[in-house]
Amino acid sequence: MRLSSSHKQFLLRATQQYANKVQLAEEYLAQRSLSVEEASIFHLGVVDEPLPGHEQYKGRLSRPYITPSGVVDIRFRSMHGEDPKYMGLIGAKTTMFNTQACFVADKYICVTEGEFDCIIMSVKTLHPTIGIPGANNWKSHYTRILDDFDIVIVLADGDAAGQEFGKKISRELPNVNIISMPEGEDVNSIVTKLGSNWIDERIRECIAN
């Protein structure tokens, strides 16, 4: 279903308003190895003064999904342990995060499970990366989008769901390399603990073969 022009304008307004308050998330972002400046590249924000219909997201981190056609979705994450951890807009369709990477990537592209890992890859490394919001949210049409790349590198979380995420994509595409994070880790935690070199070295091995 296509978004109406008015709906897109509302999502753009919300993105801009919440992004203006991203400094309120400085402490939380620092725990995830992100600066306010890095978060601003992806227009992350904080729902300080909710727009109509967004009252339930107050105090949460906003993560807009921006495509060449504009803002198509916004997702919200708790920053202080509130339940549920993740919230989305009612009726919103699941889509790829950071689709712009598909237009700038050349021979290979990386895939992460979740927006934060994608953001970390994008600001801490030079590797073009898209994010899928959850291991169960792979869509069949993503296969057509990624089929043109020589190599698709899946950065799988170090748990059962992450392993299944990698296997699912490898069943959909013939050109998949899976880089599994150590048990209990994800891209964000590995970069925080070990720096980006751990991932860089493994990606270079994939694209050299």
Side-chain angles (χ1 to χ4, degrees):
M1 183 179 67
R2 288 180 176 273
L3 298 179
S4 67
S5 177
S6 60
H7 191 181
K8 283 187 176 181
Q9 286 297 317
F10 178 79
L11 292 176
L12 175 61
R13 178 186 170 199
T15 294
Q16 293 172 335
Q17 179 166 314
Y18 303 153
N20 284 336
K21 295 292 185 176
V22 68
Q23 69 275 7
L24 297 177
E26 183 173 9
E27 182 177 349
Y28 172 79
L29 292 169
Q31 295 170 358
R32 307 294 296 268
S33 298
L34 279 177
S35 67
V36 167
E37 292 74 22
E38 289 170 332
S40 295
I41 295 172
F42 285 83
H43 306 281
L44 302 190
V46 174
V47 186
D48 186 41
E49 298 179 5
L51 291 180
H54 288 185
E55 291 79 8
Q56 67 268 41
Y57 310 125
K58 183 174 174 59
R60 289 176 173 264
L61 186 77
S62 62
R63 299 162 298 167
Y65 279 59
I66 303 173
T67 73
S69 66
V71 183
V72 297
D73 191 16
I74 305 176
R75 297 192 174 228
F76 306 88
R77 193 196 193 284
S78 66
M79 294 189 289
H80 307 291
E82 304 93 340
D83 287 325
K85 182 185 291 186
Y86 302 105
M87 296 181 72
L89 298 173
I90 297 173
K93 291 175 62 178
T94 301
T95 189
M96 210 181 258
F97 184 78
N98 196 34
T99 57
Q100 296 93 322
C102 295
F103 300 98
V104 299
D106 186 12
K107 294 183 178 181
Y108 74 97
I109 194 165
C110 299
V111 182
T112 66
E113 180 188 338
E115 304 98 334
F116 254 105
D117 286 350
C118 178
I119 292 171
I120 287 290
M121 284 294 297
S122 299
V123 301
K124 302 297 186 183
T125 79
L126 298 176
H127 305 295
T129 306
I130 60 166
I132 307 299
N136 296 321
N137 285 320
W138 178 265
K139 304 299 182 184
S140 58
H141 69 272
Y142 296 165
T143 303
R144 297 192 298 274
I145 296 173
L146 301 183
D147 194 43
D148 286 339
F149 293 103
D150 294 342
I151 303 173
V152 175
I153 300 171
V154 179
L155 302 169
D157 290 356
D159 55 20
Q163 297 308 306
E164 181 54 37
F165 179 64
K167 291 176 182 177
K168 180 176 180 62
I169 297 177
S170 66
R171 290 193 294 266
E172 298 279 339
L173 291 161
N175 50 351
V176 172
N177 285 254
I178 300 174
I179 299 176
S180 297
M181 300 300 112
E183 185 175 353
E185 306 288 356
D186 58 20
V187 169
N188 196 168
S189 65
I190 283 295
V191 171
T192 298
K193 293 176 181 179
L194 303 178
S196 61
N197 284 342
W198 189 94
I199 291 175
D200 278 334
E201 290 173 2
R202 286 155 179 80
I203 291 177
R204 284 196 293 269
E205 290 175 2
C206 290
I207 61 180
N209 294 331

